Amino acid sequence: YLDVEKTVHWFYRFVRVAWMFLPQSHHWRLMLQPSSRSCKFQLSKDQESFMVEMIFGVRQGDSDIFVGSQPTEAGISSTTWLETYAVAEAKFFRHISRQAPHDSWHYKCLQLLSHILMGVGFSSYDLKTVVMHLLNTVPLTEPSRRNFWRQLTDTLKYLRCSLETKQLNHFIIGNEKFPTEISLPSDVRAAEAPNLFQHLASNPDAHMKAMQEYFQLLHQ
């Protein structure tokens, strides 16, 4: 029965009051941005400025799965919290970082592709899922320009294969190879992995558009 909008409203008031007692308030300007399901604010000083968005979450038991207050489709009740795997995914990247050579390729690859995605129909989460699948199956390599471009090519090939087969499995749900050190409920590990490209399998026009956008991404 926890109401997202009431929680956001309470947190806004809390931040507004607490900010005045912080020494940073003498140099930085805090501007709260309107949002009903998250806490957004802008910090600015002289020519510097950046945005911060806080998503609220409720942990499920002692697992790394949460329900969160992230924005939803219009018409969703303010007491509806959606399941999120962001914490488990962040822990997976930290798990990989402990094994990876210094300055490994996957961060730069993901940053580059996410930047290129501007104006293209793929979501950053689609690419993040592709990269996580590759990290879980392909041995990590020493950083070099040659290896970076090879890994970038592997990422694009994996994406193309997923588009052609109209199949991109969710990385966490139903993934038996997911690191056991990251706590997941047993039903999440045992569940059938959702297909993130299911909408392409049921809509030929959407599939054709996705293939066109892939070649646009490849050209960029």
Side-chain angles (χ1 to χ4, degrees):
Y1 299 100
L2 190 60
D3 191 296
V4 172
E5 294 182 7
K6 290 181 180 179
T7 303
V8 170
H9 181 68
W10 169 82
F11 197 80
Y12 267 137
R13 289 192 289 115
F14 174 79
V15 169
R16 192 186 299 274
V17 174
W19 175 251
M20 303 306 299
F21 293 93
L22 296 177
Q24 289 84 352
S25 64
H26 299 296
H27 309 287
W28 289 85
R29 182 185 180 190
L30 177 73
M31 294 184 60
L32 300 178
Q33 305 295 318
S35 177
S36 61
R37 295 188 64 92
S38 64
C39 183
K40 295 181 180 180
F41 49 92
Q42 181 179 13
L43 287 167
S44 56
K45 180 180 69 172
D46 299 329
Q47 300 300 318
E48 294 182 79
S49 179
F50 61 92
M51 296 287 297
V52 177
E53 180 177 15
M54 297 186 66
I55 304 295
F56 303 97
V58 180
R59 190 177 186 181
Q60 297 194 42
D62 60 353
S63 73
D64 290 316
I65 305 300
F66 288 69
V67 289
S69 67
Q70 65 267 33
T72 63
E73 298 176 2
I76 298 294
S77 167
S78 63
T79 55
T80 299
W81 295 62
L82 301 182
E83 196 165 64
T84 174
Y85 305 93
V87 172
E89 291 166 351
K91 286 192 172 185
F92 171 76
F93 277 106
R94 286 200 294 271
H95 168 80
I96 291 295
S97 295
R98 290 194 294 269
Q99 305 175 36
H102 176 67
D103 194 26
S104 192
W105 65 270
H106 53 280
Y107 293 117
K108 292 182 178 179
C109 182
L110 195 54
Q111 288 173 345
L112 175 61
L113 289 174
S114 296
H115 177 72
I116 295 175
L117 275 174
M118 298 295 290
V120 181
F122 298 109
S123 72
S124 58
Y125 192 77
D126 291 339
L127 281 181
K128 181 181 179 182
T129 300
V130 167
V131 170
M132 288 190 293
H133 277 297
L134 284 172
L135 287 173
N136 213 29
T137 55
V138 178
L140 296 169
T141 57
E142 291 292 337
S144 69
R145 181 174 297 180
R146 177 180 298 177
N147 284 334
F148 172 77
W149 286 111
R150 180 171 60 82
Q151 301 293 356
L152 182 64
T153 301
D154 287 345
T155 302
L156 291 171
K157 285 181 178 179
Y158 195 107
L159 177 60
R160 178 172 181 171
C161 181
S162 299
L163 286 170
E164 290 176 344
T165 59
K166 307 171 189 176
Q167 183 80 28
L168 178 60
N169 288 339
H170 194 281
F171 179 67
I172 292 181
I173 300 176
N175 186 352
E176 297 180 352
K177 296 182 179 180
F178 196 76
T180 55
E181 67 185 63
I182 302 173
S183 178
L184 299 180
S186 57
D187 60 333
V188 171
R189 292 185 183 273
E192 182 178 354
N195 178 13
L196 301 184
F197 284 171
Q198 181 60 44
H199 62 291
L200 301 181
S202 57
N203 188 334
D205 291 337
H207 181 245
M208 181 180 296
K209 182 180 178 182
M211 292 300 301
Q212 292 172 346
E213 289 173 339
Y214 169 81
F215 289 111
Q216 180 182 345
L217 173 63
L218 197 64
H219 176 71
Q220 289 179 278

